[in-house]
Amino acid sequence: MYEFLQFVSSGMTVGAVYALVALGFTLIYNASDVVNFAQGEFVMLGGMTTVFLYDAGTPLWLAAVLAVMITATVGVLLNKLAVEPARGASVVSLIIITIGASIFLRGVAQIVFDKQIHRFPAFTGEDPITVAGAAILPQSLWVLMGGAAIFGVLYLFFTRSVIGKAVLATANNRLAAKLVGINTTAMMTLSFGLSAAVGALAGVLATPITLTSYDVGGGLALKGFAAAMLGSMGVPAGALVGGLLLGLIEAMTAGYISSDYKDAAAFIVILTVLFVMPRGLFGRAVAERV
Amino acid sequence: MRLSPRTWTLIILAVLIALAPVTFPSAFYFRIGALIFVNGLAVIGLVILFGYAGQISLGHAGFAGIGAYSAALMPMHLGLHPALALFAGAVLSGGLAFLIGRPILRLKGHYLAVATLGFGILVFIVLNNEAQLTGGPDGMAVEDLGLRAVSDALGLGLRTAEVWYWFMGLVLLLGAFLALNLHTSPTGRSLRSLHNSEVAARTLGVDVVRYKLTAFVISAVYASLAGSLQALLNGFVTPDVAGFLHSIEWVTMAVLGGAATVLGAVFGATILTALPQALTVFQEYEHLLLGLIIMLVMIFLPAGLLPSLGKTLRQGESI
Amino acid sequence: MTLMTVEGLGIDFGGVRAVDAVGFAVKPGEIVSVIGPNGAGKTTLFNILSGVYRPDRGRVMLDGMDVTAMAPHRLAALGLSRTFQNLQVYLQMTALENVMAGRHLAERCSVIADLLGLPASRRRTRETADIARGLLARVHLERAAEREASSLSYGALKRLEIARALAAQPRLLLLDEPAAGCNAVETEEIDALIAEIAAEGVAILLVEHDMKLVMKISNHIVVLDHGEKIAEGAPAEISQNPRVIEAYLGTQAEGGHALC
């Protein structure tokens, strides 16, 4: 039982990070139909920037805030310089552009920062808290609470604010949104900025546990993409469920079977789900229009 | 006599393969050339899947992994000649593609992408973890195919890298020949029609599941052969041959060159195989430049290099 | 002997009855038109008949065999072929290749032979090309044979789609607005072409908004409104039917000849 709780807590922590990366995919996908494989680099940039600002003497909270802002700027630039100029290119071409962007950002990080593995101290101490016999890191709670807060704030943003609704309208039907006077280009920019900020926050929250280096982005993008597809691309609740599920499957497999096969278990579950539900867990069947 | 586009493509390829060595200052370049042809072979397979049938795969390196480790393991454990192991690997990959293709190809777009990606990663994980058999992440040695011995027996007097260059050049031509035949054949037309409009193809009697599966199996065999040949060329293999990056590399080659054509495939393979070699002189700026170049090409030539260049040339003519 | 019989056909989309309790029959060589205001369910009906949608109710019989919800490619093998309202031409293939692809069912070849470019495969392609050229000539597109479909005009694409459907040698041809977007001359050509195809014994099911065309060439007309059949009969009866006139013109109907 202690064991089980332990695996649940570590699975939820990793799963929350996956869910945030998947949420980043979903935000950009909804606004622009682009699957942004550079999403993992935002997480890396969030973590690495915080590390270097902190090491340079900036207080941790300020370093984190700056890192999120810098990463959001990178997201906006990515949209303005690489995605917007390629409007109208095929879906695969756009995917390749974001893969190019991800290689590029990794290349920049390796020069601006370095190739070492880094971390910064946990926000509120490193001593595990014991809950029902399972040892839980305080930082795990930060990741879970932080993740929940991000999902909560975005939910309110999209359902309550005018701008949030405009983004949703753009996602539903770009032409119609344009016709009712929504600046769809600005909505795309906003989505990239928002998505990058979410990624960076995930990096800031998780780095004390997972550590970071210039090349962590690729693996995270892969898991985030898989989580987003598991929960149906474009559905924020799907990103949340897909991410947590992926994290839990990994932790359980690592705990009870073999840590070598934790990634395998995750992908076997994804394949099985897609074979039964070809549009993911939260996908709706759509009639073919001809 | 007017030559068909098929014949033209083969002539252009043959001439390029034959003349390129004139510019080679050292044996190292023959090796790069052979690597380009290996990648070109796999990318031609992807052109059949992508360019003809319109189905994406982010996991074809998985089949390369099966091919590569077949070439490494079968001679060691079953006593098969590497050449036979290469074909056995292709049969294995084709069979596996046939089995998993049916459920996977029911998926569309990004769902298809993530399912193929998952398949590739599963192969990678198995190769990486079953260390007693595969040597794990450190990889394992691969028996010699014996090309040099054949060349020497024929008295050709070629160095190993040169033998591989000419051999792979021939294999690439053969791969291109088959893919070009397919393009204008009844099967090729059916593949291209389901790419253009799946619903129309269905109402005209095309069993789309069967045809997608056909393209998937053919491209898996190409990838498997490329994996085997790469392992035999290097004399060594690591699980990275099945890695996600390898799949992405091939997809990028296909799209960069222009996904619908055989010549584009070879062009893309040439650039993305040679470019990283050239960029190594920039040392730590290598990744940065590679990413930048990929982005710039796709932004300014979204149809891929070759079709975009072709369009520019044609416009030049008409003016 | 009827070729196709439709009984009590219905389909719902999210609680909306897009098509409900529709029934009619088509005989070989007969031209049956399905008319109705926009959104009446005509295209949805075609999508059910060609196997693209599965109906929720009712059944479709072809030659006395139940073919309800059969996959499109199997229906095609039984002799059913169609065109599309909003064009499903293979845009990145040439006009000739489009029509050649329509011969799919007649030109089965082995994949191995196709890969190796064996004489059997090449001969098949040459034969198919000859037949396709003949069909292109029939729709006056022989000079566009080698052009990529994406470069053709809308009217030309409409005719190309008919040629492609004919290439499958159908016994029942479903034409979804073949004259939409065509000028008067083109419409007349299509009119003649349809009559010619029917004369060869092919049954034709036609959705068309051009009432002059419909009244002129149809043997039988089925009228849909809000997914239901509101009338059925010969053109002369339909043009006088008050329910039909009301469905088309609402309360502003002025006279019985408005449809002609």
Side-chain angles (χ1 to χ4, degrees), chain A residues 81-225:
Chain A
L81 299 179
V83 177
E84 249 178 43
R87 262 263 151 257
S90 74
V91 173
V92 182
S93 298
L94 283 166
I95 289 183
I96 303 289
I97 287 176
T98 65
I99 289 172
S102 127
I103 299 172
F104 174 76
L105 288 173
R106 216 171 300 163
V108 172
Q110 130 189 24
I111 295 163
V112 175
F113 307 122
D114 59 19
K115 292 169 113 173
Q116 311 299 313
I117 295 172
H118 295 278
R119 75 176 291 239
F120 47 80
F123 300 172
T124 49
E126 312 275 356
D127 299 327
I129 310 162
T130 313
V131 180
I136 295 168
L137 291 171
Q139 191 67 27
S140 279
L141 297 177
W142 275 100
V143 173
L144 289 172
M145 298 301 180
I150 291 168
F151 269 92
V153 167
L154 283 179
Y155 177 78
L156 290 178
F157 173 70
F158 282 121
T159 50
R160 299 289 160 82
S161 77
V162 177
I163 299 177
K165 284 178 184 169
V167 176
L168 281 188
T170 308
N172 265 314
N173 187 332
R174 188 165 307 127
L175 184 64
K178 215 174 222 167
L179 288 175
V180 298
I182 295 171
N183 183 347
T184 53
T185 312
M187 294 307 130
M188 252 182 84
T189 307
L190 178 67
S191 299
F192 268 85
L194 214 54
S195 172
V198 168
L201 270 169
V204 169
L205 292 167
T207 295
I209 303 174
T210 59
L211 314 188
T212 191
S213 72
Y214 80 103
D215 61 354
V216 296
L220 282 170
L222 217 60
K223 291 289 173 57
F225 175 55

Side-chain angles (χ1 to χ4, degrees), chain A residues 61-76:
Chain A
W61 67 269
L62 184 59
V65 171
L66 286 173
V68 172
M69 285 168 62
I70 289 169
T71 309
T73 313
V74 171
V76 169

Side-chain angles (χ1 to χ4, degrees), chain B residues 247-292:
Chain B
S247 290
I248 287 294
E249 223 170 67
W250 281 346
V251 172
T252 311
M253 286 173 185
V255 177
L256 204 68
T261 66
V262 167
L263 219 48
V266 179
F267 199 52
T270 307
I271 293 194
L272 275 189
T273 312
L275 196 62
Q277 302 286 344
L279 291 178
T280 47
V281 298
F282 295 100
Q283 288 170 6
E284 70 227 44
Y285 289 90
E286 184 192 335
H287 280 114
L288 189 154
L289 287 170
L290 183 63
L292 199 60

Side-chain angles (χ1 to χ4, degrees), chain B residues 6 48 177-179 181-190 192-208 210-211 214 218 222, chain C residues 50 52 72-73 76 80-82 84 88 90-93 97 100-102 104-105 107-111 114-117 121-122 124-125 128 164-165 168:
Chain B
R6 181 186 77 120
I48 292 173
F177 172 74
L178 298 177
N181 284 336
L182 192 67
H183 191 261
T184 49
S185 74
T187 304
R189 271 193 298 283
S190 304
R192 288 187 290 144
S193 63
L194 79 87
H195 180 190
N196 275 266
S197 167
E198 196 168 318
V199 66
R202 276 156 66 203
T203 60
L204 286 163
V206 179
D207 182 348
V208 293
R210 200 185 117 200
Y211 277 87
T214 305
I218 295 174
Y222 270 81
Chain C
S50 59
V52 177
H73 69 272
L80 192 139
S81 193
R82 73 170 286 188
F84 296 85
Q88 294 284 337
Y90 307 140
L91 288 174
Q92 284 147 32
M93 294 164 74
E97 284 176 325
M100 288 173 78
H104 173 77
L105 285 164
E107 66 165 3
R108 285 275 165 83
C109 226
S110 93
V111 180
D114 287 352
L115 275 169
L116 294 173
S121 161
R122 301 235 217 153
R124 193 66 54 87
T125 292
T128 305
R164 186 182 67 184

